[in-house]
Amino acid sequence: MDFPAIDPVKTGDNITKLRKAAGLSVHDVQAAFGFTPQAIYKWQNGTALPSVDNLVCLAALLRVRMDDILITDRS
């Protein structure tokens, strides 16, 4: 079976788009998670993906579903 793969760069671009649409700054997201801003920038740049736990929280913060955040090679 051929499973979809998450595209980290497109997902990062999507996180940036959704964050801005929600009216949140990187600092706002960083403050909500208690991370350094570098962690959020890594998500946005596609060099890292949020863990499943962080993805659940990010979806709640952005008021979207987890599926709305992740971009796959089939999206």
Side-chain angles (χ1 to χ4, degrees):
M1 179 172 255
D2 186 29
F3 292 105
I6 297 170
D7 184 318
V9 173
K10 288 181 181 177
T11 295
D13 291 342
N14 197 40
I15 289 170
T16 302
K17 181 186 82 163
L18 293 169
R19 177 186 56 75
K20 289 178 178 179
L24 299 171
S25 68
V26 169
H27 184 283
D28 295 331
V29 177
Q30 176 258 323
F33 282 91
F35 296 156
T36 63
Q38 289 81 7
I40 309 306
Y41 284 118
K42 284 182 179 182
W43 294 351
Q44 293 186 161
N45 292 331
T47 56
L49 289 169
S51 68
V52 174
D53 290 346
N54 289 334
L55 189 60
V56 170
C57 295
L58 184 61
L61 182 66
L62 299 175
R63 299 177 193 260
V64 298
R65 298 173 313 145
M66 289 184 352
D67 287 350
D68 296 330
I69 296 172
L70 300 172
I71 304 296
T72 68
D73 57 1
R74 295 185 187 169
S75 297

Coordinates of all heavy atoms in Angstrom, one line a residue:
M1 N 0.8 -1.2 0.0 CA 0.0 0.0 0.0 C 0.9 1.2 0.0 O 1.9 1.3 0.7 CB -0.9 0.0 1.2 CG -1.8 1.2 1.3 SD -3.0 1.1 2.6 CE -4.4 0.7 1.6
D2 N 0.5 2.2 -0.7 CA 1.2 3.5 -0.8 C 0.6 4.5 0.1 O -0.5 5.0 -0.2 CB 1.2 3.9 -2.3 CG 2.0 5.2 -2.6 OD1 3.1 5.3 -1.9 OD2 1.7 5.9 -3.5
F3 N 1.3 4.9 1.1 CA 0.8 5.9 2.1 C 1.2 7.3 1.7 O 2.4 7.5 1.2 CB 1.3 5.5 3.5 CG 0.7 4.3 4.0 CD1 1.4 3.1 4.1 CD2 -0.7 4.2 4.5 CE1 0.9 1.9 4.6 CE2 -1.2 3.1 5.0 CZ -0.5 1.9 5.0
P4 N 0.4 8.3 2.1 CA 0.9 9.7 1.9 C 2.0 10.1 2.8 O 2.1 9.5 3.9 CB -0.4 10.5 2.2 CG -1.2 9.7 3.0 CD -0.9 8.2 2.7
A5 N 2.8 11.0 2.4 CA 3.9 11.5 3.2 C 3.7 13.0 3.5 O 3.3 13.7 2.6 CB 5.3 11.3 2.5
I6 N 4.0 13.4 4.7 CA 3.9 14.8 5.0 C 5.0 15.6 4.4 O 6.2 15.2 4.4 CB 3.9 15.0 6.6 CG1 2.8 14.3 7.2 CG2 3.9 16.5 6.9 CD1 2.9 14.2 8.7
D7 N 4.6 16.7 3.7 CA 5.6 17.6 3.1 C 5.9 18.6 4.1 O 5.1 19.5 4.4 CB 5.0 18.2 1.8 CG 6.0 19.1 1.1 OD1 6.8 19.8 1.8 OD2 6.0 19.0 -0.1
P8 N 7.1 18.6 4.8 CA 7.4 19.5 5.8 C 7.5 21.0 5.4 O 7.1 21.9 6.2 CB 8.7 19.0 6.4 CG 9.3 18.1 5.4 CD 8.2 17.6 4.5
V9 N 8.0 21.2 4.2 CA 8.1 22.6 3.7 C 6.7 23.2 3.5 O 6.4 24.3 3.9 CB 9.0 22.7 2.5 CG1 9.0 24.1 1.9 CG2 10.4 22.3 2.9
K10 N 5.9 22.5 2.8 CA 4.5 23.0 2.5 C 3.7 23.1 3.8 O 2.9 24.0 4.0 CB 3.8 22.1 1.5 CG 4.4 22.3 0.1 CD 3.7 21.4 -0.9 CE 4.3 21.5 -2.3 NZ 3.6 20.7 -3.3
T11 N 3.9 22.1 4.7 CA 3.3 22.2 6.0 C 3.7 23.5 6.8 O 2.9 24.2 7.4 CB 3.5 20.9 6.8 OG1 2.9 19.8 6.1 CG2 2.9 21.0 8.2
G12 N 5.0 23.7 6.7 CA 5.5 25.0 7.4 C 4.9 26.2 6.8 O 4.5 27.1 7.5
D13 N 4.8 26.3 5.4 CA 4.2 27.4 4.8 C 2.8 27.5 5.2 O 2.2 28.6 5.4 CB 4.3 27.3 3.3 CG 5.7 27.4 2.7 OD1 6.6 27.9 3.4 OD2 5.9 27.0 1.5
N14 N 2.1 26.4 5.4 CA 0.7 26.4 5.8 C 0.6 26.9 7.2 O -0.4 27.6 7.6 CB 0.1 25.0 5.6 CG -1.4 25.0 5.6 OD1 -2.0 25.9 5.1 ND2 -2.0 24.0 6.3
I15 N 1.5 26.5 8.1 CA 1.4 26.9 9.5 C 1.6 28.4 9.5 O 0.8 29.1 10.3 CB 2.5 26.2 10.3 CG1 2.2 24.8 10.6 CG2 2.7 26.9 11.7 CD1 3.3 23.9 11.2
T16 N 2.5 29.0 8.7 CA 2.7 30.4 8.7 C 1.4 31.1 8.2 O 0.9 32.1 8.8 CB 3.8 30.8 7.7 OG1 5.0 30.1 8.2 CG2 4.0 32.3 7.6
K17 N 0.8 30.6 7.1 CA -0.5 31.1 6.6 C -1.6 31.1 7.6 O -2.3 32.1 7.8 CB -0.9 30.4 5.3 CG -2.1 30.9 4.7 CD -2.6 30.0 3.5 CE -3.3 28.8 4.1 NZ -4.1 28.0 3.3
L18 N -1.8 29.9 8.3 CA -2.8 29.8 9.3 C -2.6 30.7 10.5 O -3.5 31.2 11.1 CB -2.9 28.3 9.7 CG -3.4 27.4 8.6 CD1 -3.3 25.9 9.1 CD2 -4.9 27.7 8.3
R19 N -1.3 30.8 10.9 CA -1.0 31.7 12.1 C -1.4 33.1 11.8 O -2.0 33.8 12.6 CB 0.5 31.6 12.4 CG 0.9 32.5 13.5 CD 2.4 32.5 13.7 NE 3.2 32.8 12.6 CZ 3.4 34.1 12.1 NH1 2.8 35.1 12.6 NH2 4.2 34.3 11.0
K20 N -1.0 33.6 10.6 CA -1.3 34.9 10.2 C -2.8 35.2 10.1 O -3.3 36.2 10.5 CB -0.6 35.3 8.9 CG 0.9 35.5 9.1 CD 1.6 35.8 7.7 CE 3.1 36.0 7.9 NZ 3.8 36.2 6.7
A21 N -3.5 34.2 9.5 CA -5.0 34.3 9.3 C -5.7 34.3 10.7 O -6.7 35.0 10.8 CB -5.5 33.1 8.5
A22 N -5.1 33.7 11.7 CA -5.6 33.7 13.1 C -5.2 35.0 13.8 O -5.6 35.2 14.9 CB -5.1 32.5 13.8
G23 N -4.4 35.9 13.1 CA -4.0 37.1 13.8 C -3.0 37.0 14.8 O -2.9 37.8 15.8
L24 N -2.2 35.9 14.8 CA -1.2 35.6 15.8 C 0.2 35.8 15.3 O 0.5 35.6 14.1 CB -1.3 34.1 16.2 CG -2.6 33.7 16.9 CD1 -2.6 32.2 17.0 CD2 -2.8 34.4 18.2
S25 N 1.1 36.4 16.1 CA 2.5 36.5 15.8 C 3.2 35.2 16.2 O 2.7 34.4 17.0 CB 3.1 37.7 16.5 OG 3.1 37.5 17.9
V26 N 4.5 35.1 15.8 CA 5.3 34.0 16.3 C 5.4 34.1 17.8 O 5.4 33.1 18.5 CB 6.7 34.1 15.6 CG1 7.7 33.1 16.2 CG2 6.6 33.7 14.1
H27 N 5.6 35.3 18.3 CA 5.7 35.5 19.7 C 4.4 35.0 20.4 O 4.5 34.3 21.5 CB 5.9 37.0 20.1 CG 6.1 37.2 21.5 ND1 5.1 37.2 22.5 CD2 7.3 37.4 22.2 CE1 5.6 37.4 23.7 NE2 6.9 37.6 23.5
D28 N 3.3 35.2 19.9 CA 2.0 34.7 20.5 C 2.0 33.2 20.6 O 1.6 32.6 21.6 CB 0.8 35.1 19.7 CG 0.6 36.6 19.7 OD1 0.9 37.3 20.6 OD2 0.0 37.1 18.6
V29 N 2.4 32.5 19.5 CA 2.5 31.1 19.5 C 3.5 30.6 20.4 O 3.3 29.6 21.2 CB 2.8 30.5 18.0 CG1 2.9 29.0 18.0 CG2 1.7 31.0 17.1
Q30 N 4.7 31.2 20.4 CA 5.8 30.8 21.3 C 5.3 31.0 22.8 O 5.6 30.1 23.6 CB 7.0 31.7 21.1 CG 8.1 31.6 22.0 CD 8.2 32.6 23.1 OE1 7.9 33.8 22.8 NE2 8.6 32.3 24.2
A31 N 4.6 32.0 23.1 CA 4.1 32.2 24.5 C 3.1 31.2 24.9 O 3.1 30.7 26.0 CB 3.5 33.6 24.6
A32 N 2.3 30.8 23.9 CA 1.2 29.8 24.2 C 1.9 28.4 24.6 O 1.4 27.7 25.4 CB 0.3 29.6 23.1
F33 N 3.0 28.1 23.9 CA 3.7 26.8 24.0 C 4.8 26.9 25.1 O 5.2 25.8 25.6 CB 4.2 26.3 22.7 CG 3.2 25.7 21.8 CD1 2.6 26.5 20.9 CD2 2.9 24.4 21.9 CE1 1.6 26.0 20.0 CE2 2.0 23.8 21.0 CZ 1.3 24.6 20.1
G34 N 5.3 28.0 25.3 CA 6.4 28.2 26.3 C 7.7 27.8 25.6 O 8.7 27.5 26.3
F35 N 7.8 27.7 24.3 CA 9.0 27.4 23.5 C 9.8 28.6 23.3 O 9.3 29.7 23.4 CB 8.7 26.8 22.2 CG 7.9 25.5 22.2 CD1 7.2 25.1 21.1 CD2 8.0 24.6 23.3 CE1 6.5 23.9 21.1 CE2 7.4 23.4 23.3 CZ 6.6 23.0 22.2
T36 N 11.0 28.4 22.8 CA 11.8 29.5 22.2 C 11.2 29.8 20.8 O 10.6 28.9 20.2 CB 13.2 29.2 22.0 OG1 13.4 28.1 21.1 CG2 13.9 28.8 23.4
P37 N 11.3 31.0 20.3 CA 10.8 31.3 19.0 C 11.4 30.5 17.9 O 10.8 30.2 16.9 CB 11.2 32.8 18.8 CG 11.4 33.4 20.1 CD 11.8 32.2 21.0
Q38 N 12.7 30.0 18.1 CA 13.3 29.2 17.1 C 12.5 27.9 16.8 O 12.5 27.4 15.7 CB 14.8 28.8 17.6 CG 15.7 30.0 17.6 CD 15.6 30.9 18.8 OE1 14.9 30.6 19.7 NE2 16.3 32.0 18.7
A39 N 11.9 27.3 17.8 CA 11.1 26.1 17.6 C 10.0 26.4 16.6 O 9.7 25.6 15.7 CB 10.6 25.6 18.9
I40 N 9.3 27.5 16.8 CA 8.2 27.9 15.9 C 8.7 28.2 14.5 O 8.1 27.8 13.5 CB 7.4 29.2 16.5 CG1 7.1 29.0 17.9 CG2 6.2 29.5 15.6 CD1 6.3 27.8 18.3
Y41 N 9.8 28.9 14.4 CA 10.4 29.1 13.1 C 10.8 27.8 12.4 O 10.7 27.7 11.2 CB 11.6 30.1 13.2 CG 11.2 31.5 13.4 CD1 11.6 32.2 14.6 CD2 10.4 32.2 12.5 CE1 11.2 33.5 14.8 CE2 10.1 33.5 12.7 CZ 10.5 34.2 13.9 OH 10.1 35.5 14.1
K42 N 11.3 26.9 13.1 CA 11.6 25.6 12.5 C 10.4 24.9 11.9 O 10.5 24.3 10.8 CB 12.3 24.6 13.5 CG 13.7 25.0 13.8 CD 14.3 24.0 14.8 CE 15.8 24.4 15.1 NZ 16.4 23.4 16.0
W43 N 9.3 25.0 12.6 CA 8.0 24.5 12.1 C 7.7 25.2 10.8 O 7.4 24.6 9.8 CB 6.9 24.7 13.0 CG 6.9 23.9 14.3 CD1 7.8 22.9 14.6 CD2 6.0 24.1 15.4 NE1 7.5 22.4 15.9 CE2 6.5 23.1 16.4 CE3 5.0 24.9 15.7 CZ2 5.8 23.0 17.6 CZ3 4.3 24.8 16.9 CH2 4.8 23.8 17.9
Q44 N 7.8 26.6 10.8 CA 7.4 27.4 9.7 C 8.4 27.2 8.5 O 7.9 27.3 7.3 CB 7.3 28.8 10.1 CG 6.2 29.1 11.0 CD 6.0 30.6 11.3 OE1 5.0 31.0 11.8 NE2 7.0 31.5 11.1
N45 N 9.6 26.9 8.8 CA 10.6 26.8 7.7 C 10.6 25.3 7.2 O 11.3 25.1 6.2 CB 12.0 27.1 8.2 CG 12.2 28.6 8.5 OD1 11.5 29.4 7.9 ND2 13.0 28.9 9.4
G46 N 9.9 24.4 7.8 CA 9.9 23.0 7.4 C 11.1 22.2 7.8 O 11.3 21.1 7.2
T47 N 11.9 22.7 8.7 CA 13.0 21.9 9.2 C 12.7 21.0 10.3 O 13.5 20.2 10.7 CB 14.2 22.9 9.6 OG1 13.8 23.8 10.6 CG2 14.7 23.6 8.3
A48 N 11.5 21.2 10.9 CA 11.0 20.4 11.9 C 9.4 20.4 11.9 O 8.8 21.4 11.4 CB 11.4 20.8 13.3
L49 N 8.8 19.3 12.3 CA 7.4 19.2 12.4 C 7.0 19.2 13.9 O 7.7 18.6 14.7 CB 6.9 18.0 11.7 CG 6.9 18.0 10.2 CD1 6.7 16.6 9.6 CD2 6.0 19.0 9.6
P50 N 5.8 19.7 14.2 CA 5.3 19.6 15.6 C 5.1 18.2 15.9 O 4.7 17.4 15.1 CB 4.0 20.4 15.6 CG 3.9 21.1 14.3 CD 4.9 20.5 13.3
S51 N 5.4 17.8 17.2 CA 5.0 16.5 17.7 C 3.5 16.4 17.6 O 2.8 17.4 17.5 CB 5.5 16.3 19.1 OG 4.8 17.1 20.0
V52 N 3.0 15.2 17.8 CA 1.5 15.0 17.7 C 0.8 15.8 18.8 O -0.2 16.4 18.6 CB 1.2 13.5 17.8 CG1 -0.3 13.3 18.0 CG2 1.7 12.7 16.7
D53 N 1.4 15.8 20.0 CA 0.8 16.6 21.1 C 0.8 18.0 20.8 O -0.2 18.7 21.1 CB 1.7 16.4 22.4 CG 1.5 15.0 23.0 OD1 0.6 14.2 22.6 OD2 2.3 14.6 23.9
N54 N 1.9 18.5 20.3 CA 2.0 20.0 19.9 C 1.1 20.3 18.7 O 0.5 21.4 18.6 CB 3.4 20.4 19.6 CG 4.3 20.4 20.8 OD1 3.8 20.6 21.9 ND2 5.6 20.2 20.7
L55 N 0.9 19.3 17.8 CA 0.0 19.5 16.7 C -1.5 19.7 17.2 O -2.2 20.5 16.7 CB 0.1 18.4 15.7 CG -0.6 18.5 14.4 CD1 -0.1 19.7 13.6 CD2 -0.4 17.2 13.6
V56 N -1.9 18.9 18.2 CA -3.2 19.0 18.7 C -3.4 20.4 19.3 O -4.4 21.1 19.1 CB -3.4 17.9 19.8 CG1 -4.7 18.2 20.6 CG2 -3.5 16.5 19.2
C57 N -2.4 20.9 20.1 CA -2.5 22.2 20.7 C -2.4 23.3 19.7 O -3.2 24.3 19.8 CB -1.3 22.4 21.7 SG -1.4 21.2 23.1
L58 N -1.6 23.1 18.6 CA -1.5 24.1 17.6 C -2.8 24.3 16.9 O -3.3 25.4 16.6 CB -0.4 23.8 16.6 CG -0.1 24.8 15.5 CD1 0.3 26.1 16.1 CD2 1.0 24.2 14.6
A59 N -3.5 23.1 16.6 CA -4.8 23.2 15.9 C -5.8 23.9 16.8 O -6.6 24.7 16.2 CB -5.2 21.7 15.6
A60 N -5.8 23.7 18.1 CA -6.7 24.4 18.9 C -6.4 25.9 19.0 O -7.3 26.7 18.9 CB -6.6 23.8 20.4
L61 N -5.1 26.2 19.0 CA -4.7 27.6 19.1 C -5.2 28.3 17.8 O -5.6 29.5 17.8 CB -3.2 27.7 19.3 CG -2.6 29.1 19.4 CD1 -3.1 29.8 20.6 CD2 -1.1 29.0 19.4
L62 N -5.0 27.7 16.6 CA -5.3 28.2 15.3 C -6.8 28.1 15.0 O -7.2 28.6 14.0 CB -4.4 27.6 14.2 CG -2.9 27.8 14.4 CD1 -2.2 27.0 13.3 CD2 -2.6 29.3 14.4
R63 N -7.5 27.3 15.8 CA -8.9 27.1 15.6 C -9.2 26.3 14.2 O -10.1 26.7 13.5 CB -9.8 28.3 15.7 CG -9.7 29.0 17.1 CD -10.4 30.3 17.1 NE -10.1 31.0 18.3 CZ -10.8 31.1 19.4 NH1 -11.9 30.4 19.5 NH2 -10.4 31.8 20.4
V64 N -8.3 25.3 14.0 CA -8.5 24.5 12.8 C -8.4 23.0 13.2 O -8.0 22.7 14.3 CB -7.5 24.8 11.7 CG1 -7.6 26.3 11.2 CG2 -6.0 24.6 12.2
R65 N -8.6 22.1 12.3 CA -8.4 20.7 12.5 C -6.9 20.4 12.2 O -6.3 21.1 11.5 CB -9.3 19.9 11.6 CG -10.8 20.1 11.8 CD -11.6 19.3 10.8 NE -11.0 19.6 9.4 CZ -11.0 18.7 8.5 NH1 -11.5 17.5 8.6 NH2 -10.5 19.0 7.3
M66 N -6.4 19.3 12.8 CA -5.1 18.9 12.6 C -4.9 18.7 11.1 O -3.8 19.0 10.5 CB -4.7 17.7 13.4 CG -4.5 18.0 14.8 SD -4.0 16.6 15.9 CE -4.0 15.1 14.9
D67 N -5.8 18.1 10.4 CA -5.8 17.8 9.0 C -5.6 19.1 8.2 O -5.1 19.1 7.1 CB -7.0 17.1 8.5 CG -7.0 15.6 9.0 OD1 -6.0 15.1 9.5 OD2 -8.1 15.0 8.8
D68 N -6.1 20.2 8.7 CA -6.0 21.5 8.0 C -4.6 22.0 8.1 O -4.2 22.9 7.3 CB -7.0 22.5 8.6 CG -8.4 22.1 8.4 OD1 -8.7 21.4 7.4 OD2 -9.2 22.5 9.3
I69 N -3.8 21.5 9.0 CA -2.4 22.0 9.2 C -1.4 21.2 8.3 O -0.6 21.8 7.6 CB -1.9 21.9 10.6 CG1 -2.8 22.9 11.5 CG2 -0.5 22.3 10.8 CD1 -2.6 22.7 13.0
L70 N -1.6 19.9 8.3 CA -0.6 19.1 7.6 C -0.9 19.0 6.1 O -2.0 18.9 5.6 CB -0.7 17.6 8.1 CG -0.4 17.5 9.6 CD1 -0.7 16.1 10.1 CD2 1.1 17.9 9.9
I71 N 0.2 19.2 5.3 CA 0.1 19.1 3.8 C 0.9 17.8 3.4 O 2.1 17.7 3.8 CB 0.7 20.3 3.2 CG1 0.0 21.6 3.7 CG2 0.6 20.2 1.7 CD1 -1.5 21.7 3.3
T72 N 0.3 17.0 2.7 CA 0.9 15.8 2.2 C 1.3 15.9 0.7 O 0.9 16.8 0.1 CB 0.1 14.5 2.5 OG1 -1.1 14.6 1.6 CG2 -0.4 14.4 3.9
D73 N 2.0 14.9 0.3 CA 2.3 14.8 -1.1 C 1.1 14.5 -2.0 O 1.2 14.5 -3.2 CB 3.4 13.8 -1.4 CG 3.1 12.4 -0.9 OD1 2.0 12.2 -0.4 OD2 4.0 11.5 -1.1
R74 N 0.0 14.3 -1.4 CA -1.3 14.1 -2.1 C -2.3 15.2 -1.9 O -3.4 15.2 -2.4 CB -1.9 12.8 -1.6 CG -1.1 11.6 -1.9 CD -1.8 10.3 -1.6 NE -0.9 9.2 -1.8 CZ -1.2 8.0 -1.3 NH1 -2.3 7.8 -0.7 NH2 -0.3 7.1 -1.5
S75 N -1.8 16.3 -1.2 CA -2.8 17.4 -0.9 C -2.8 18.3 -2.2 O -1.9 18.4 -2.9 CB -2.3 18.2 0.2 OG -2.3 17.4 1.4

